[in-house]
Amino acid sequence: MTTSVRLSLSSLRAHRRRFAGTFLAVFLGVSFLAGTLVMGDTLRAGFDTMFGDATAGTDAVVRGADTITTPGEGQGARRPVDTGLAATLARVPGVAAAVPDIQGAGQLVGSDGRPVGGQGPPTLAGNWITDPRLNPYRLAEGRAPERPGEVVVNRGAAEKGGLRLGDSTVLRTPDPVRVTVVGLATFGGEDGMGQVTFTGMTRADAEKYLTARPGEAASILVRAAPGIGQQELVDRLAPALPRGVEAITGQESAQENTDMVSSRFLTLFTTFLLVFSGVALLVATFSIHNTFAIVVAQRTRENALLRALGASRRQVTAATLVEASAVAVTASAAGLAGGVGIAAGLQALFPAIGFPFPGGDLVVTALSLTLPLAVGVLVCLGSALLPAVRAGRTAPLAALRDTAVDSSAASRTRAVTGLALAGLAVATTLTGVLVSPSVWLAGTGAALAWSRSSSSARSPPAPPSASSARPWTGCAASPAPSPGATPCAAPGGPPPPRAPS
Amino acid sequence: MTTTATTTRTAARVADAVKVYGAGDTAVRALDGVTLGFPAGRFTAIMGPSGSGKSTLLHCAAGLDTLTSGSAHIGDTELGGLDDRRLTLLRRDRIGFVFQAFNLVPTLTVAENIRLPLDLADRRGDPEWIDALVDVVGLRDRLHHRPSELSGGQQQRVAVARAFAGRPDVVFADEPTGNLDSRAGGEVLGLLGRAARDIARTVVMVTHDPVAAAHADEVVFLADGRLVDRMASPTADRVLDRMKAFEVPS
Ligand SMILES: Nc1ncnc2c1ncn2[C@@H]1O[C@H](COP(=O)(O)OP(=O)(O)OP(=O)(O)O)[C@@H](O)[C@H]1O
Ligand SMILES: [Mg+2]
């Protein structure tokens, strides 16, 4: 063991408490980062499963080949296909069933006269697909719509609107349509696809009310006859398709859905956690810099003594850096555990706040562990570098002088900045925790709806503005301990005298 | 009384040493042309009124500080020509220090503190020598204690052991007994004297105490940054008389 290492380890042992704030800041930053990554992977896997399950019976999807890019939309909408094509495709050898999937916007009015879902998640309507294997929704209660005006509603929406089987209400498409609830449906085993409301009408009603012209469908869902693979089915469909229409396998379609949800919802979600993690790491940077600046200042005499006794600048710098890495590694390692804990906690929290979290175990990849660890250690070492170099520059004579040791204005500025940042971080984090569920929900809804109705492009994604507009100030006065507070409270007077006896 | 160290080899010396602190109106001439050699294997005491430049002389002779003009040598090495790295190595390998206070690294044990210069040099040193030193300073039962668990006298004894651990050419001590009572101070002085005489080390010590100075082979007197007198084979009484002599005129 080199002298530098031993010096820093014994110093760490002796000053454990001084590093508590630094430890906490690094721990939080790494936790958020690791939690975000684990959560992202887990959600992605969960959505994969969810879409995979819901559309398991769909072997091919026939849709407009080109996307029409409309301003304001990230990805383009597709041109609708002719509902009549379904009948043509049903006659292709190897096709067991082909049904049009008509989609549009439809907001239910609840029993209290207020729209279900409010301004938040998208409200969708479509034709109730009678082939149960092609319909992503499952009938849970009641029956499928048969006569004009009869609808199936997803159970979550019905509960929210206080609608029961047999109730009559209005569906705004946006023109008001009188409807009667005859059935309740589930999606992927849950009461709905996130907070999205879905109303399933008869095909005739859907054509009449939901699309610009009758005979337009978002896509045609095709089921293969036994023994026919998805790719084989697509190959067989191809010759029967008119120009401008394409067929993709059900798997590809599910993958696209997952990707679109990932690109919208997950991005939103991870951005939130990453912002917290960034703030925490920023606070960590200041906290570490501040702590080490103070440690180095308080230890001026000790470092000067080492220099007087023949320690090179590099040895003194190294001793400080070793100290920083020891803090970094332990805090980051604890942060990894914390991150997995955060992900597990969110997974448990989601169902409790009404968001049906796609099931499945936590997905912990090597990247979600190594990246936060590396970031934690680098941030720690990076912010300790300057104080460490300053430690190395200590003049040996400082050991012999009894002058008070640095508590310059600069370090006080640092302390104030650190304190302010710590406060901001706590406020941000708490606000985030408080508002984020609704933001996530709104965001999820938007993304999910968007991915499903991208062809009709009728329901613009709801902005998560309502929730993010909540003021930040509510949390600022929270008594929660701030990560940077400990080291910030430390500077000021000269170090305690060390004179023997 | 003003004899010079005759033909003996000098372990350390300064020539025309001038040290000016600050600049302009606030400049302080702490050393004003001192020429002085410390003979090898001898115990020299430096005395003088407060502010006379004793500590400054010690620091400059030991490579802890640089002279404004003049030269300082350790053996044949001119300190003015060394960069920070070489000066550091020279302090580590050829010089021992005992300061008045704060001599020990508080987080290291007694044993680790004693070995510190050797460890910094990645040298094993001479285990028997260090073992003997531990006995000389009487700290065998304190080796695994931390400095804060020792008395002031014990801490200074650790510092003395550390100063000699690497068998340096010269050991400099700046008021090593300043904070100690007479008994503890006597122990430390006895140690320094024995080290010089028994094991032929060069020891240079700054002190205010005539009794401490009497342990030395020779006393040199500084006043206002100049060398004003030297006294061989000092006794406490004679040193006291000499001190009184230059307190009166100024
Ligand atoms: N870093 C410094 N900056 C400015 N002046 C200094 C500095 N160090 C010492 N001096 C001045 O140089 C002169 C000599 O100081 P020095 O410490 O060498 O005296 P000393 O003989 O050791 O005194 P004492 O017995 O009180 O320790 C004093 O006037 C002192 O004020
Ligand atoms: Mg002095």
mmCIF file of all heavy atoms in Angstrom, chain A residues 447-492:
data_model
loop_
_atom_site.group_PDB
_atom_site.id
_atom_site.type_symbol
_atom_site.label_atom_id
_atom_site.label_comp_id
_atom_site.label_asym_id
_atom_site.label_seq_id
_atom_site.Cartn_x
_atom_site.Cartn_y
_atom_site.Cartn_z
ATOM 1 N N ALA A 447 -48.842 9.429 -25.745
ATOM 2 C CA ALA A 447 -48.008 8.593 -26.588
ATOM 3 C C ALA A 447 -48.757 7.362 -27.079
ATOM 4 O O ALA A 447 -48.706 6.999 -28.248
ATOM 5 C CB ALA A 447 -46.767 8.180 -25.824
ATOM 6 N N LEU A 448 -49.447 6.753 -26.149
ATOM 7 C CA LEU A 448 -50.163 5.536 -26.520
ATOM 8 C C LEU A 448 -51.203 5.842 -27.584
ATOM 9 O O LEU A 448 -51.305 5.150 -28.590
ATOM 10 C CB LEU A 448 -50.838 4.918 -25.296
ATOM 11 C CG LEU A 448 -49.895 4.260 -24.306
ATOM 12 C CD1 LEU A 448 -50.628 3.921 -23.031
ATOM 13 C CD2 LEU A 448 -49.289 3.005 -24.920
ATOM 14 N N ALA A 449 -51.969 6.889 -27.348
ATOM 15 C CA ALA A 449 -53.019 7.243 -28.275
ATOM 16 C C ALA A 449 -52.417 7.570 -29.625
ATOM 17 O O ALA A 449 -52.891 7.129 -30.663
ATOM 18 C CB ALA A 449 -53.781 8.449 -27.755
ATOM 19 N N TRP A 450 -51.355 8.306 -29.560
ATOM 20 C CA TRP A 450 -50.728 8.750 -30.784
ATOM 21 C C TRP A 450 -50.285 7.544 -31.604
ATOM 22 O O TRP A 450 -50.458 7.482 -32.805
ATOM 23 C CB TRP A 450 -49.547 9.626 -30.427
ATOM 24 C CG TRP A 450 -49.002 10.312 -31.618
ATOM 25 C CD1 TRP A 450 -49.504 11.398 -32.239
ATOM 26 C CD2 TRP A 450 -47.867 9.912 -32.358
ATOM 27 N NE1 TRP A 450 -48.760 11.710 -33.314
ATOM 28 C CE2 TRP A 450 -47.736 10.816 -33.418
ATOM 29 C CE3 TRP A 450 -46.936 8.872 -32.232
ATOM 30 C CZ2 TRP A 450 -46.720 10.719 -34.336
ATOM 31 C CZ3 TRP A 450 -45.934 8.782 -33.136
ATOM 32 C CH2 TRP A 450 -45.825 9.706 -34.188
ATOM 33 N N SER A 451 -49.711 6.593 -30.902
ATOM 34 C CA SER A 451 -49.189 5.458 -31.639
ATOM 35 C C SER A 451 -50.324 4.663 -32.284
ATOM 36 O O SER A 451 -50.176 4.087 -33.338
ATOM 37 C CB SER A 451 -48.389 4.548 -30.708
ATOM 38 O OG SER A 451 -49.275 3.830 -29.888
ATOM 39 N N ARG A 452 -51.444 4.636 -31.621
ATOM 40 C CA ARG A 452 -52.523 3.834 -32.162
ATOM 41 C C ARG A 452 -53.250 4.586 -33.260
ATOM 42 O O ARG A 452 -53.745 3.996 -34.208
ATOM 43 C CB ARG A 452 -53.507 3.483 -31.035
ATOM 44 C CG ARG A 452 -53.775 1.986 -30.943
ATOM 45 C CD ARG A 452 -54.702 1.678 -29.821
ATOM 46 N NE ARG A 452 -56.102 1.750 -30.233
ATOM 47 C CZ ARG A 452 -56.727 0.793 -30.883
ATOM 48 N NH1 ARG A 452 -56.105 -0.300 -31.205
ATOM 49 N NH2 ARG A 452 -57.987 0.917 -31.221
ATOM 50 N N SER A 453 -53.360 5.872 -33.126
ATOM 51 C CA SER A 453 -54.203 6.603 -34.067
ATOM 52 C C SER A 453 -53.375 7.406 -35.043
ATOM 53 O O SER A 453 -53.841 8.362 -35.632
ATOM 54 C CB SER A 453 -55.134 7.547 -33.304
ATOM 55 O OG SER A 453 -54.350 8.520 -32.654
ATOM 56 N N SER A 454 -52.138 6.979 -35.215
ATOM 57 C CA SER A 454 -51.269 7.776 -36.068
ATOM 58 C C SER A 454 -51.806 7.845 -37.497
ATOM 59 O O SER A 454 -51.510 8.762 -38.230
ATOM 60 C CB SER A 454 -49.866 7.194 -36.072
ATOM 61 O OG SER A 454 -49.921 5.843 -36.436
ATOM 62 N N SER A 455 -52.602 6.864 -37.852
ATOM 63 C CA SER A 455 -53.083 6.866 -39.229
ATOM 64 C C SER A 455 -54.167 7.924 -39.438
ATOM 65 O O SER A 455 -54.214 8.573 -40.470
ATOM 66 C CB SER A 455 -53.638 5.492 -39.578
ATOM 67 O OG SER A 455 -54.433 5.036 -38.505
ATOM 68 N N SER A 456 -55.024 8.092 -38.452
ATOM 69 C CA SER A 456 -56.097 9.051 -38.669
ATOM 70 C C SER A 456 -55.662 10.456 -38.263
ATOM 71 O O SER A 456 -56.208 11.429 -38.747
ATOM 72 C CB SER A 456 -57.336 8.659 -37.869
ATOM 73 O OG SER A 456 -56.995 8.620 -36.494
ATOM 74 N N ALA A 457 -54.636 10.509 -37.401
ATOM 75 C CA ALA A 457 -54.088 11.805 -37.008
ATOM 76 C C ALA A 457 -55.163 12.752 -36.499
ATOM 77 O O ALA A 457 -55.123 13.942 -36.730
ATOM 78 C CB ALA A 457 -53.329 12.443 -38.165
ATOM 79 N N ARG A 458 -56.146 12.202 -35.861
ATOM 80 C CA ARG A 458 -57.251 13.054 -35.447
ATOM 81 C C ARG A 458 -57.118 13.548 -34.020
ATOM 82 O O ARG A 458 -57.661 14.591 -33.671
ATOM 83 C CB ARG A 458 -58.567 12.248 -35.535
ATOM 84 C CG ARG A 458 -59.107 12.216 -36.933
ATOM 85 C CD ARG A 458 -60.515 12.637 -36.894
ATOM 86 N NE ARG A 458 -61.063 12.618 -38.236
ATOM 87 C CZ ARG A 458 -62.361 12.467 -38.435
ATOM 88 N NH1 ARG A 458 -63.172 12.283 -37.410
ATOM 89 N NH2 ARG A 458 -62.839 12.498 -39.657
ATOM 90 N N SER A 459 -56.502 12.741 -33.196
ATOM 91 C CA SER A 459 -56.422 13.202 -31.812
ATOM 92 C C SER A 459 -55.014 13.670 -31.512
ATOM 93 O O SER A 459 -54.102 12.877 -31.379
ATOM 94 C CB SER A 459 -56.808 12.080 -30.846
ATOM 95 O OG SER A 459 -55.799 11.120 -30.815
ATOM 96 N N PRO A 460 -54.827 14.962 -31.460
ATOM 97 C CA PRO A 460 -53.491 15.474 -31.161
ATOM 98 C C PRO A 460 -53.103 15.085 -29.748
ATOM 99 O O PRO A 460 -53.950 15.034 -28.856
ATOM 100 C CB PRO A 460 -53.674 16.994 -31.281
ATOM 101 C CG PRO A 460 -55.137 17.225 -31.035
ATOM 102 C CD PRO A 460 -55.848 15.992 -31.502
ATOM 103 N N PRO A 461 -51.815 14.787 -29.532
ATOM 104 C CA PRO A 461 -51.389 14.381 -28.180
ATOM 105 C C PRO A 461 -51.667 15.498 -27.187
ATOM 106 O O PRO A 461 -51.461 16.667 -27.484
ATOM 107 C CB PRO A 461 -49.879 14.172 -28.339
ATOM 108 C CG PRO A 461 -49.584 14.270 -29.793
ATOM 109 C CD PRO A 461 -50.737 14.906 -30.471
ATOM 110 N N ALA A 462 -52.164 15.086 -26.060
ATOM 111 C CA ALA A 462 -52.448 16.092 -25.045
ATOM 112 C C ALA A 462 -51.144 16.556 -24.426
ATOM 113 O O ALA A 462 -50.323 15.743 -24.026
ATOM 114 C CB ALA A 462 -53.351 15.513 -23.974
ATOM 115 N N PRO A 463 -50.926 17.847 -24.353
ATOM 116 C CA PRO A 463 -49.709 18.322 -23.708
ATOM 117 C C PRO A 463 -49.798 18.113 -22.207
ATOM 118 O O PRO A 463 -50.876 18.235 -21.629
ATOM 119 C CB PRO A 463 -49.693 19.823 -24.047
ATOM 120 C CG PRO A 463 -51.134 20.176 -24.258
ATOM 121 C CD PRO A 463 -51.813 18.938 -24.770
ATOM 122 N N PRO A 464 -48.684 17.787 -21.577
ATOM 123 C CA PRO A 464 -48.709 17.554 -20.128
ATOM 124 C C PRO A 464 -48.667 18.867 -19.361
ATOM 125 O O PRO A 464 -48.140 18.936 -18.279
ATOM 126 C CB PRO A 464 -47.431 16.743 -19.907
ATOM 127 C CG PRO A 464 -46.527 17.191 -21.003
ATOM 128 C CD PRO A 464 -47.389 17.584 -22.164
ATOM 129 N N SER A 465 -49.223 19.899 -19.957
ATOM 130 C CA SER A 465 -49.010 21.229 -19.385
ATOM 131 C C SER A 465 -49.715 21.414 -18.045
ATOM 132 O O SER A 465 -49.165 22.035 -17.148
ATOM 133 C CB SER A 465 -49.523 22.275 -20.369
ATOM 134 O OG SER A 465 -50.872 22.002 -20.658
ATOM 135 N N ALA A 466 -50.905 20.851 -17.934
ATOM 136 C CA ALA A 466 -51.690 21.104 -16.734
ATOM 137 C C ALA A 466 -50.877 20.812 -15.478
ATOM 138 O O ALA A 466 -50.845 21.591 -14.539
ATOM 139 C CB ALA A 466 -52.944 20.266 -16.755
ATOM 140 N N SER A 467 -50.166 19.697 -15.507
ATOM 141 C CA SER A 467 -49.479 19.296 -14.291
ATOM 142 C C SER A 467 -48.153 20.017 -14.119
ATOM 143 O O SER A 467 -47.768 20.361 -13.015
ATOM 144 C CB SER A 467 -49.260 17.800 -14.305
ATOM 145 O OG SER A 467 -49.436 17.312 -15.586
ATOM 146 N N SER A 468 -47.445 20.234 -15.239
ATOM 147 C CA SER A 468 -46.127 20.841 -15.064
ATOM 148 C C SER A 468 -46.248 22.322 -14.690
ATOM 149 O O SER A 468 -45.267 22.934 -14.315
ATOM 150 C CB SER A 468 -45.285 20.675 -16.326
ATOM 151 O OG SER A 468 -46.040 21.047 -17.440
ATOM 152 N N ALA A 469 -47.442 22.866 -14.811
ATOM 153 C CA ALA A 469 -47.608 24.270 -14.469
ATOM 154 C C ALA A 469 -47.675 24.486 -12.961
ATOM 155 O O ALA A 469 -47.656 25.597 -12.490
ATOM 156 C CB ALA A 469 -48.880 24.824 -15.109
ATOM 157 N N ARG A 470 -47.744 23.386 -12.225
ATOM 158 C CA ARG A 470 -47.827 23.528 -10.779
ATOM 159 C C ARG A 470 -46.613 24.290 -10.245
ATOM 160 O O ARG A 470 -45.507 24.098 -10.716
ATOM 161 C CB ARG A 470 -47.864 22.131 -10.135
ATOM 162 C CG ARG A 470 -48.727 22.107 -8.872
ATOM 163 C CD ARG A 470 -48.777 20.720 -8.318
ATOM 164 N NE ARG A 470 -49.763 19.890 -9.002
ATOM 165 C CZ ARG A 470 -50.033 18.652 -8.617
ATOM 166 N NH1 ARG A 470 -49.389 18.123 -7.617
ATOM 167 N NH2 ARG A 470 -50.930 17.952 -9.248
ATOM 168 N N PRO A 471 -46.812 25.155 -9.283
ATOM 169 C CA PRO A 471 -45.683 25.989 -8.847
ATOM 170 C C PRO A 471 -44.622 25.164 -8.132
ATOM 171 O O PRO A 471 -44.910 24.160 -7.509
ATOM 172 C CB PRO A 471 -46.336 26.977 -7.885
ATOM 173 C CG PRO A 471 -47.590 26.320 -7.439
ATOM 174 C CD PRO A 471 -48.042 25.467 -8.579
ATOM 175 N N TRP A 472 -43.405 25.642 -8.234
ATOM 176 C CA TRP A 472 -42.261 24.947 -7.613
ATOM 177 C C TRP A 472 -42.132 25.322 -6.157
ATOM 178 O O TRP A 472 -41.502 24.655 -5.383
ATOM 179 C CB TRP A 472 -40.965 25.365 -8.302
ATOM 180 C CG TRP A 472 -40.955 25.054 -9.748
ATOM 181 C CD1 TRP A 472 -41.656 25.674 -10.740
ATOM 182 C CD2 TRP A 472 -40.227 24.012 -10.382
ATOM 183 N NE1 TRP A 472 -41.400 25.093 -11.929
ATOM 184 C CE2 TRP A 472 -40.528 24.076 -11.754
ATOM 185 C CE3 TRP A 472 -39.334 23.048 -9.922
ATOM 186 C CZ2 TRP A 472 -39.971 23.194 -12.653
ATOM 187 C CZ3 TRP A 472 -38.780 22.194 -10.821
ATOM 188 C CH2 TRP A 472 -39.123 22.260 -12.175
ATOM 189 N N THR A 473 -42.685 26.460 -5.850
ATOM 190 C CA THR A 473 -42.388 27.047 -4.550
ATOM 191 C C THR A 473 -42.929 26.224 -3.394
ATOM 192 O O THR A 473 -42.411 26.311 -2.291
ATOM 193 C CB THR A 473 -42.983 28.452 -4.464
ATOM 194 O OG1 THR A 473 -44.319 28.394 -4.990
ATOM 195 C CG2 THR A 473 -42.170 29.420 -5.270
ATOM 196 N N GLY A 474 -43.933 25.459 -3.646
ATOM 197 C CA GLY A 474 -44.562 24.707 -2.566
ATOM 198 C C GLY A 474 -43.582 23.863 -1.781
ATOM 199 O O GLY A 474 -43.772 23.614 -0.599
ATOM 200 N N CYS A 475 -42.551 23.435 -2.416
ATOM 201 C CA CYS A 475 -41.647 22.505 -1.751
ATOM 202 C C CYS A 475 -40.425 23.191 -1.187
ATOM 203 O O CYS A 475 -39.646 22.594 -0.467
ATOM 204 C CB CYS A 475 -41.177 21.451 -2.747
ATOM 205 S SG CYS A 475 -42.542 20.695 -3.589
ATOM 206 N N ALA A 476 -40.227 24.438 -1.551
ATOM 207 C CA ALA A 476 -38.960 25.079 -1.208
ATOM 208 C C ALA A 476 -38.728 25.122 0.301
ATOM 209 O O ALA A 476 -37.608 25.051 0.770
ATOM 210 C CB ALA A 476 -38.928 26.491 -1.761
ATOM 211 N N ALA A 477 -39.817 25.201 1.056
ATOM 212 C CA ALA A 477 -39.661 25.335 2.494
ATOM 213 C C ALA A 477 -39.596 23.994 3.195
ATOM 214 O O ALA A 477 -39.585 23.923 4.412
ATOM 215 C CB ALA A 477 -40.822 26.143 3.061
ATOM 216 N N SER A 478 -39.518 22.935 2.399
ATOM 217 C CA SER A 478 -39.524 21.607 3.005
ATOM 218 C C SER A 478 -38.342 21.407 3.936
ATOM 219 O O SER A 478 -37.230 21.823 3.640
ATOM 220 C CB SER A 478 -39.471 20.558 1.897
ATOM 221 O OG SER A 478 -39.036 19.347 2.434
ATOM 222 N N PRO A 479 -38.556 20.767 5.058
ATOM 223 C CA PRO A 479 -37.456 20.557 6.002
ATOM 224 C C PRO A 479 -36.580 19.380 5.630
ATOM 225 O O PRO A 479 -35.680 19.040 6.378
ATOM 226 C CB PRO A 479 -38.198 20.278 7.309
ATOM 227 C CG PRO A 479 -39.489 19.663 6.884
ATOM 228 C CD PRO A 479 -39.820 20.233 5.526
ATOM 229 N N ALA A 480 -36.830 18.795 4.480
ATOM 230 C CA ALA A 480 -36.030 17.633 4.097
ATOM 231 C C ALA A 480 -34.563 18.018 4.028
ATOM 232 O O ALA A 480 -34.227 19.118 3.637
ATOM 233 C CB ALA A 480 -36.486 17.123 2.732
ATOM 234 N N PRO A 481 -33.673 17.118 4.426
ATOM 235 C CA PRO A 481 -32.250 17.453 4.431
ATOM 236 C C PRO A 481 -31.762 17.640 3.010
ATOM 237 O O PRO A 481 -32.103 16.875 2.124
ATOM 238 C CB PRO A 481 -31.609 16.216 5.077
ATOM 239 C CG PRO A 481 -32.599 15.126 4.854
ATOM 240 C CD PRO A 481 -33.947 15.766 4.829
ATOM 241 N N SER A 482 -30.989 18.680 2.806
ATOM 242 C CA SER A 482 -30.485 18.915 1.463
ATOM 243 C C SER A 482 -29.114 18.295 1.344
ATOM 244 O O SER A 482 -28.307 18.345 2.263
ATOM 245 C CB SER A 482 -30.412 20.415 1.213
ATOM 246 O OG SER A 482 -29.584 21.003 2.170
ATOM 247 N N PRO A 483 -28.838 17.717 0.175
ATOM 248 C CA PRO A 483 -27.583 16.985 0.008
ATOM 249 C C PRO A 483 -26.366 17.854 0.230
ATOM 250 O O PRO A 483 -25.360 17.377 0.707
ATOM 251 C CB PRO A 483 -27.647 16.524 -1.449
ATOM 252 C CG PRO A 483 -28.992 16.880 -1.970
ATOM 253 C CD PRO A 483 -29.699 17.735 -0.966
ATOM 254 N N GLY A 484 -26.422 19.116 -0.149
ATOM 255 C CA GLY A 484 -25.204 19.927 -0.059
ATOM 256 C C GLY A 484 -25.065 20.635 1.271
ATOM 257 O O GLY A 484 -24.114 21.350 1.496
ATOM 258 N N ALA A 485 -26.026 20.457 2.150
ATOM 259 C CA ALA A 485 -26.069 21.302 3.329
ATOM 260 C C ALA A 485 -24.906 21.039 4.290
ATOM 261 O O ALA A 485 -24.344 21.959 4.843
ATOM 262 C CB ALA A 485 -27.373 21.110 4.056
ATOM 263 N N THR A 486 -24.562 19.794 4.424
ATOM 264 C CA THR A 486 -23.559 19.473 5.430
ATOM 265 C C THR A 486 -22.236 20.176 5.178
ATOM 266 O O THR A 486 -21.741 20.899 6.034
ATOM 267 C CB THR A 486 -23.352 17.957 5.525
ATOM 268 O OG1 THR A 486 -24.636 17.362 5.536
ATOM 269 C CG2 THR A 486 -22.591 17.607 6.776
ATOM 270 N N PRO A 487 -21.676 20.002 3.951
ATOM 271 C CA PRO A 487 -20.414 20.692 3.734
ATOM 272 C C PRO A 487 -20.577 22.203 3.705
ATOM 273 O O PRO A 487 -19.666 22.933 4.042
ATOM 274 C CB PRO A 487 -19.960 20.179 2.369
ATOM 275 C CG PRO A 487 -21.180 19.622 1.741
ATOM 276 C CD PRO A 487 -22.075 19.180 2.852
ATOM 277 N N CYS A 488 -21.800 22.674 3.286
ATOM 278 C CA CYS A 488 -21.955 24.111 3.177
ATOM 279 C C CYS A 488 -21.948 24.759 4.554
ATOM 280 O O CYS A 488 -21.578 25.916 4.698
ATOM 281 C CB CYS A 488 -23.248 24.449 2.474
ATOM 282 S SG CYS A 488 -23.235 23.874 0.781
ATOM 283 N N ALA A 489 -22.379 24.014 5.533
ATOM 284 C CA ALA A 489 -22.493 24.590 6.855
ATOM 285 C C ALA A 489 -21.127 24.679 7.531
ATOM 286 O O ALA A 489 -20.960 25.359 8.513
ATOM 287 C CB ALA A 489 -23.425 23.749 7.697
ATOM 288 N N ALA A 490 -20.176 23.980 6.957
ATOM 289 C CA ALA A 490 -18.903 23.833 7.647
ATOM 290 C C ALA A 490 -17.959 25.031 7.604
ATOM 291 O O ALA A 490 -17.233 25.259 8.559
ATOM 292 C CB ALA A 490 -18.177 22.603 7.110
ATOM 293 N N PRO A 491 -17.917 25.818 6.473
ATOM 294 C CA PRO A 491 -16.821 26.782 6.413
ATOM 295 C C PRO A 491 -17.008 27.921 7.393
ATOM 296 O O PRO A 491 -18.008 28.002 8.074
ATOM 297 C CB PRO A 491 -16.926 27.308 4.990
ATOM 298 C CG PRO A 491 -18.378 27.249 4.697
ATOM 299 C CD PRO A 491 -18.881 26.028 5.431
ATOM 300 N N GLY A 492 -16.056 28.814 7.407
ATOM 301 C CA GLY A 492 -16.202 29.956 8.294
ATOM 302 C C GLY A 492 -14.925 30.143 9.058
ATOM 303 O O GLY A 492 -13.906 30.514 8.497
#
